[in-house]
Amino acid sequence: MTSQAPLRINIQFVSAYPSRPLRGEDAYAAIIGDVLARMAGQLGHQVSREYYVNDAGPQADALARGVYARVLTPSAFEDDEITALATTVRKRLPEALFDSPEASWLSPLRSATVAAAMERITADLEALGVAFDVFTAESSLETKGALRKLLDDFASKAALMDAAGNLLQTAPEPPLARLMLDTTARGDLRPRALTDSDGRYTYYAADLAYHADKMARGFDLMIDVFRKDHAAYAPGLVAGVDLISASQTKLSVCLIDPVRPPSEADPSPRVAAPLAALPKLEALLAFYGAPLLRRLFLSHAPGKPLALACDPATRHALKAAEERQLAALALPETGASDAPDALAEIASAFEARTPHKLMAATDALASASLAARSLSKEAKSGLLAMRAALGFT
């Protein structure tokens, strides 16, 4: 279907931390990732949609301890997302476990908490019409050994440095001080820390180990969908992957705009919107429905925050745009070949990682067909293909 040989592509998106239900920004990432996967599939590539489950490390332990506290004294806490998880988890674990020492309850409680949270998250994804092929748990990765191998590999490639910027010919075992990765030769603006000053591995190092695991699975291209507040982090990750793979595997990062309430004055992507000011995903789905919410995200031209609210005027405009496309598909067919190359439109949007371009092209084709009051067979086929790539079936 394309001039390029089909690729094995991994697209990782959403991967929200399991302490909370999905929010509006997660839904935005879900739709963008879903459409990137659909476009790649239309172009003949083999696509794997991946969700990374953060179920290990200090944060996961802290989540389990928070749930444990609410199980023991629920009346001491307000009703919130952690309390809701505690209510579910308490029903699934034996009562005696909560009277045991932390060493006994921490691991099973952590596992039960993450499992309950992921059930809630997958239900939200299903409501959005988004499915994943793979859920990779952080706990399933052999991180310690992988990180050790990465340090040795970086040293052999003259990219491992100490805190002063001196190249190291061998990686210390174990690391006891800050180690840096020289990513500047691969387009990064600065070296990246692999370990802290006490030798503990950084999140960046663990992220590289996770991407190395994906590389080992044989992908030619990896795409990560991040919010723009990760813009400074992305070049280091791209450079690290390029270094690990010796430029054989490419990582591409798709950055999406933050969401804001319509009244939010500060448009800076670094300033998080107050959670209370944004509608919950449940409310957005109830107000717009999944198809119109998908259209809302895809109609947003990147470059500024997305105003997210349950707004009747916005819903009316989205519904009218969808009705125009359906009306175009219902037009009488003509023999004239007036259709743009649908696969070329899909390929262009996919290569640029800009699903909104395909949304705009699809709306333009529908509007042009309505103005002409006819639709060629090729145009109808193209419109259907573009809508399928956008997730409108």
Side-chain angles (χ1 to χ4, degrees):
M1 294 178 66
T2 66
S3 58
Q4 182 187 39
L7 301 175
R8 289 196 66 205
I9 300 175
N10 176 281
I11 303 179
Q12 182 211 336
F13 54 110
V14 186
S15 299
Y17 192 69
S19 63
R20 57 173 177 78
L22 296 187
R23 299 196 289 245
E25 66 267 30
D26 304 311
Y28 190 9
I31 297 305
I32 296 300
D34 179 67
V35 174
L36 288 173
R38 289 173 183 270
M39 290 194 294
Q42 286 269 34
L43 296 170
H45 301 300
Q46 182 180 343
V47 184
S48 177
R49 306 159 183 234
E50 184 154 340
Y51 191 114
Y52 184 57
V53 183
N54 299 100
D55 68 337
Q59 282 185 304
D61 288 345
L63 174 61
R65 292 186 180 105
V67 168
Y68 178 77
R70 284 160 172 77
V71 168
L72 290 187
T73 56
S75 60
F77 300 92
E78 296 181 4
D79 288 337
D80 61 7
E81 294 153 357
I82 306 301
T83 302
L85 284 173
T87 300
T88 301
V89 166
R90 182 166 191 168
K91 298 175 182 177
R92 297 182 178 181
L93 294 176
E95 193 70 29
L97 184 69
F98 300 104
D99 294 325
S100 62
E102 180 179 288
S104 298
W105 60 253
L106 183 60
S107 179
L109 187 61
R110 182 178 59 228
S111 297
T113 297
V114 172
M118 289 307 301
E119 288 171 10
R120 182 175 59 185
I121 286 172
T122 52
D124 287 340
L125 291 169
E126 184 178 351
L128 285 167
V130 175
F132 283 82
D133 302 302
V134 178
F135 287 83
T136 296
E138 182 181 359
S139 62
S140 72
L141 302 177
E142 203 285 287
T143 305
K144 186 175 182 180
L147 287 168
R148 179 68 234 174
K149 290 178 182 178
L150 282 183
L151 292 186
D152 291 336
D153 181 54
F154 293 148
S156 71
K157 293 174 179 175
L160 186 66
M161 305 188 303
D162 62 19
N166 301 307
L167 288 175
L168 301 176
Q169 294 184 341
T170 59
E173 173 56 39
L176 298 174
R178 186 179 299 278
L179 296 175
M180 307 293 294
L181 181 64
D182 183 9
T183 53
T184 56
R186 286 170 167 77
D188 199 6
L189 295 176
R190 57 181 174 82
R192 303 283 171 159
L194 293 168
T195 61
D196 293 326
S197 58
D198 59 1
R200 288 183 299 175
Y201 288 106
T202 62
Y203 177 84
Y204 172 70
D207 212 0
L208 287 181
Y210 167 49
H211 282 77
D213 177 82
K214 290 196 283 188
M215 284 182 252
R217 289 183 250 154
F219 294 108
D220 305 299
L221 171 63
M222 299 182 293
I223 300 173
D224 290 350
V225 179
F226 290 162
R227 297 191 309 272
K228 277 191 176 175
D229 57 4
H230 285 67
Y233 178 74
L237 192 57
V238 171
V241 166
D242 188 65
L243 182 61
I244 294 169
S245 71
S247 304
Q248 296 304 301
T249 302
K250 181 181 178 183
L251 170 65
S252 175
V253 175
C254 177
L255 296 173
I256 62 172
D257 291 311
V259 298
R260 293 284 184 272
S263 60
E264 179 66 43
D266 185 354
S268 170
R270 294 182 177 274
V271 180
L275 295 182
L278 288 167
K280 293 184 177 180
L281 179 56
E282 182 181 13
L284 288 168
L285 283 166
F287 184 79
Y288 289 106
L292 289 187
L293 187 58
R294 175 178 288 259
R295 177 175 279 276
L296 172 64
F297 292 134
L298 294 174
S299 299
H300 173 71
K304 60 181 181 180
L306 167 62
L308 196 58
C310 296
D311 177 57
T314 299
R315 182 176 59 185
H316 177 77
L318 294 170
K319 186 176 181 180
E322 175 65 10
E323 289 174 348
R324 283 193 295 273
Q325 286 195 14
L326 297 178
L329 288 170
L331 289 168
E333 289 186 13
T334 66
S337 181
D338 56 353
D341 186 337
L343 280 185
E345 295 281 0
I346 294 170
S348 176
F350 176 72
E351 290 300 321
R353 311 290 185 258
T354 50
H356 80 281
K357 289 181 62 177
L358 184 61
M359 184 79 257
T362 308
D363 280 335
L365 175 56
S367 296
S369 300
L370 287 172
R373 298 184 180 180
S374 64
L375 188 71
S376 71
K377 182 177 180 180
E378 292 84 356
K380 183 173 184 178
S381 177
L383 186 56
L384 287 170
M386 292 158 74
R387 281 178 56 82
L390 292 165
F392 300 112
T393 54

